[in-house]
Amino acid sequence: MTSRSFLRLALAGAVASGAVTLSALPADASKPPRTVPVRLLALNDFHGNLEPPTGSSGRMVDEHGNTVDAGGAAYVATHMKALSDRNTIAVAQGDLIGATPLISAAYHDEPSVEFLGKLGLKVAAVGNHEFDEGYAELRRIMKGGCHPVDGCSPAGEWKGAAFDYVGANVLFKNRHAKTDAPAALGDSNAAELKQALGGSNAAELKQALSGFGVPALPPVSVKWMNGVPIGFIGLVTKTTPGIVSSEGIKDLTFVDEVKAANVASKLLRLVGVKAQVVLVHEGDQVEQGRSPDACSAVPGAGNRIATQVDPEIDVVLSGHSHQAYVCTVKDPRGRDRLFSQGGSFGRVITQVDMKVDARTRDIDRASLVADNHVVTRTVTPDPEISTFVQTWKDRVAPVANKAIGTITADITNTAAPSGESPLGNLIADAQLAATQTGGDAQIALMNPGGVRASLSHASSPAGEGDGVVTYGEAFTVQPFNNLMQVVTLTGAQLKTVLEQQFPGGPNNQAFTKILQPSANFTYTYSTSAAWGSKVSDMKIDGTPVTDTQTIRVAANNFLVGGGDAFLAFQEGTDVWSGPLDIDAFVDHLGKDNPIAPPATDRITVTG
């Protein structure tokens, strides 16, 4: 690949609008430094929460240690307006869509993306959930057009995102720049890029970019503020292939975040953009109960990126872990660098104030000040956005408020000591029932991360009365629209799947993730045994499982594709596909009413 063709790809997001002109730095170095102000306002992991999120998802610890109600699009808009000034660029760190409430998901998240455009968002990194419906659907969200299956929403033909989506570490597999670049990113910026690539930088560019790859998304976006260019580099967690359905990203590869950031940083620097900000959908966990402005992050995947990316990068804004922190870390040259995150679900806005030297066009890091503002609900909700949200709420109401079943008490997704939850077990039972006819399923396993909320016995939003479950509530529990599948595994392979619930194996499971089993499948695991020997006494309908027998196992297509590091599922044969997981759940909730919370006694734990 030539340097010319790669940089055309890399800067497509930055100059496609024609509003950006890349130029040389001013030659006169004798003038005294003059700085100009720039403010960033950042959101991450919004997940389509147009309405105020409920329960613990709608609460946040504030700067004073108080737990307060937070979030909701109309409140986000009010806070954003109060924090914005003429120097502001609004940005985001991914998972703006995907795993969303029905008000957004029913229309493939077009309402959420439209809201973010109304909010004034300019640049966003892609998150793993931006790929939930596959790369082609992400491109439609970016560029516009009606959904290929469901058609146009009630608002008419989708016009595309009003902001730039960027992802420097998302590359095509086995593609050549000449044939695939125009289809992927468009070619409207050829004249500007031809000018930017001319001159003595050609050889250096070629050397810098040698052996990288063809980006599937614009890696960078450049925004001008007060006469200086600010370069934004987008990154998504490299673990994305393990946490989204494989079919939708089969033509993509997700390379190391640090490697991709460093290539993108060189590209920006070679065309004169020295003020550089990374928007990365990867982050760290925190000590609980701390102020959102505290540096409570426990160093992990986010810290690795924040400390290792190119020294030219001044700021690293993160996401993915749904935590709030403001930290100062050291870059590879030992200089201080900002590393922060703003919670999730629209509960926190991160404000970053800085000054940029107008002569060198670089950020004065000593001027950096960051503040995580909790999006409280004590302010007046923005009237325009309130009307906007209500419009979509009215559109989806007939579907959301439909009663589908009844329950005797709360059915929660809170894990018991075994790792099972009552709701996880109920979903597994529903999935087994939905796949026995046609798929010949014998057992079912459900990933706990896919159980997104609890079912409440309290009155539903439609007011049908205690114990009534609506479609909207069921969808909040299972919002992914995964496909139910059944595969054949041997007893030995099934045991390996269960061993892969625990860290320490070759599948690199980061945390213990206990799959939720259907009622007819029981087993024991030992907390102290070595990996590979943890699981024992597997039984189906009370009959011991042997290594050589074959078993038809039902799971969603995310797990069957090896998601959540359950790679042994990929060894399954004779794949059968059935209904969507939400349809299986809704159907099950409509039978044998009222439904009581299942016991969490299917797994036995020993020391």
Side-chain angles (χ1 to χ4, degrees), residues 79 265 286 290-291 293 312 424 451 456 458-459 518 527 555 557 571 581:
H79 282 272
S265 176
V286 300
R290 297 285 298 277
S291 163
D293 292 325
E312 191 70 40
V451 187
S456 173
S459 289
S518 54
T527 57
N557 62 302
E571 299 174 14
D581 55 1

Side-chain angles (χ1 to χ4, degrees), residues 44 60 284-286 288 320-325 341-344:
N44 60 275
M60 196 76 198
D284 292 336
Q285 298 301 316
V286 300
Q288 294 303 310
H320 190 48
S321 59
H322 290 205
Q323 307 300 332
Y325 49 82
Q341 186 179 163
S344 61

Side-chain angles (χ1 to χ4, degrees), residues 3 202-212 262-263 266-267 270:
S3 59
E204 188 177 359
L205 282 166
K206 185 175 182 180
Q207 182 179 1
L209 300 169
S210 176
F212 193 59
N262 291 349
V263 171
K266 287 182 180 179
L267 293 172
L270 288 168

Side-chain angles (χ1 to χ4, degrees), residues 169-182:
N169 64 326
V170 185
L171 308 179
F172 284 119
K173 289 179 182 176
N174 306 317
R175 292 202 181 185
H176 301 287
K178 276 189 177 180
T179 56
D180 293 312

